[in-house]
């Protein structure tokens, strides 16, 4: 079966660094971040138009849909994970004990409503244009699980250097997490996989290792458990066993992607200055 059934279309141009796409069923549009420009954009495929959804947003990055249709997103500037409910933005979690988070980067909501997110330092590094310079207060870069009912924040992955994109396998028995630290920090670009049980992660292993210049920043998992990921200036699709199934070149460095469109089979791709779309034969495992 051909997984990619169309050719790459450019839908919008004019961002400095595009990231954090999510499909919003309510408005039938894709929402994403232009992080250095500190704004959120929305593209509506029916009209073909892009609008500025919000400005001065404190450097939002990755986002996902919660079960109630609200959007859960990461804010580098506020160093928190927050909720956008019809334009009203409120904090979900912003600290680990007495320490502020670094700069949450990407987030998923599990079937049980818990919020899982990565916390690398990209939004607080010296000279950053994606947030405000600051200290790493708890001294690490963890993946966290937040239980909104118990208001409890737990580190679930602590052995990655710069955890970035994350997604569950369809049955949530595995959590995939990208590490974008890379050879410059003495580790390979890779996606790690962790077995998940009772809200905790077991020992991780490398799912795929990517060559230098081909970092995986963000990804989604489809209904068959395939991983659709950014890989430098390309999108790659990996089978659950790590085998490469497809690769599509993109003219710019890709950060992230999401499934969307009326039937959920359009892949929206955020890539540096542009938003692209690719028609596929599948849908997001987490589609609801
Ligand atoms: Mg990211």
């Amino acid at each position: 079966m051909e997984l990619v059934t169309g050719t790459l279309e450019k839908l919008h141009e004019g961002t400095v660094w595009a990231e954090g796409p999510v499909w919003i069923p309510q408005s039938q549009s894709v929402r994403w971040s232009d992080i250095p420009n500190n704004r959120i954009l929305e593209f509506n495929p029916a009209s073909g138009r892009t609008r500025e959804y919000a400005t001065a947003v404190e450097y939002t990055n990755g986002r996902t849909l919660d079960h109630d249709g609200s959007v859960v997103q990461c804010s580098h500037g506020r160093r928190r994970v927050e909720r956008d409910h019809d334009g009203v933005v409120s904090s979900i979690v912003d600290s680990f004990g007495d320490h502020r988070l670094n700069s949450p980067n990407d987030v998923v909501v599990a079937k049980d409503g818990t919020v899982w997110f990565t916390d690398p330092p990209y939004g607080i590094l010296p000279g950053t244009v994606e947030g405000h310079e600051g200290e790493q207060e708890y001294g690490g870069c963890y993946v966290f699980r937040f239980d909104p009912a118990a208001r409890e924040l737990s580190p679930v992955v602590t052995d990655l250097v710069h955890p970035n994109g994350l997604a569950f396998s369809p049955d949530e028995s595995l959590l995939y997490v990208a590490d974008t630290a890379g050879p410059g920090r003495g580790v390979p670009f890779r996606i790690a996989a962790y077995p998940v049980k009772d809200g905790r992660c077991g020992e991780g292993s490398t799912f795929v290792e990517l060559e230098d210049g081909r970092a995986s920043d963000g990804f989604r998992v489809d209904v068959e458990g395939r991983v659709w990921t950014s890989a430098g200036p390309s999108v790659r699709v990996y089978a659950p066993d790590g085998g490469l199934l497809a690769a599509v070149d993109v003219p710019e460095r890709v950060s992230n992607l999401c499934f969307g469109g009326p039937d959920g089979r359009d892949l929206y791709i955020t890539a540096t200055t542009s938003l692209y779309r690719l028609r596929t034969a599948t849908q997001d495992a987490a589609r609801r």
Side-chain angles (χ1 to χ4, degrees), residues 64-67 72 81 83 92-93 107-117 144-154 156 166 168 172 175 196 198-200 288:
T64 192
L65 210 60
D66 204 346
H67 299 283
V72 175
V81 178
R83 183 181 309 283
I92 294 175
V93 60
V107 60
V108 290
V109 175
K111 290 179 179 125
D112 67 0
T114 52
V115 178
W116 301 58
F117 63 94
F144 289 102
R145 171 187 183 270
F146 181 67
D147 180 343
R151 299 215 52 79
E152 194 173 68
L153 185 68
S154 317
V156 285
L166 79 173
F168 286 106
E172 297 190 349
L175 180 71
V196 178
D198 302 327
R200 291 204 183 86
R288 42 181 174 253

Side-chain angles (χ1 to χ4, degrees), residues 19 61 105 164 217:
E19 196 165 345
N61 190 341
N105 190 292
N164 202 319
D217 184 330

Side-chain angles (χ1 to χ4, degrees), residues 17 19-20 61-62 105-106 118 120 122 164-165 180 217-218 255-256:
W17 180 251
E19 196 165 345
N61 190 341
N105 190 292
D106 212 346
T118 58
Y122 297 115
N164 202 319
T180 46
D217 184 330
S255 61
N256 216 326

Side-chain angles (χ1 to χ4, degrees), residues 259-273:
F259 288 97
D263 64 1
R265 286 170 45 197
D266 294 323
L267 189 73
Y268 287 94
I269 300 160
T270 49
T272 315
T273 70

Side-chain angles (χ1 to χ4, degrees), residues 97-175:
D98 295 333
H99 304 294
R100 282 188 296 172
L101 300 172
N102 299 324
S103 50
N105 190 292
D106 212 346
V107 60
V108 290
V109 175
K111 290 179 179 125
D112 67 0
T114 52
V115 178
W116 301 58
F117 63 94
T118 58
D119 192 32
Y122 297 115
I124 55 171
L125 293 175
T128 184
V129 295
E130 298 199 347
H132 309 290
E133 287 182 28
E135 298 296 317
Q136 283 183 232
E137 296 189 3
Y138 64 85
C141 293
Y142 296 165
V143 182
F144 289 102
R145 171 187 183 270
F146 181 67
D147 180 343
R151 299 215 52 79
E152 194 173 68
L153 185 68
S154 317
V156 285
V157 173
T158 59
D159 65 345
L160 297 179
V161 182
H162 287 167
N164 202 319
L166 79 173
F168 286 106
S169 62
D171 64 1
E172 297 190 349
S173 67
L174 284 176
L175 180 71

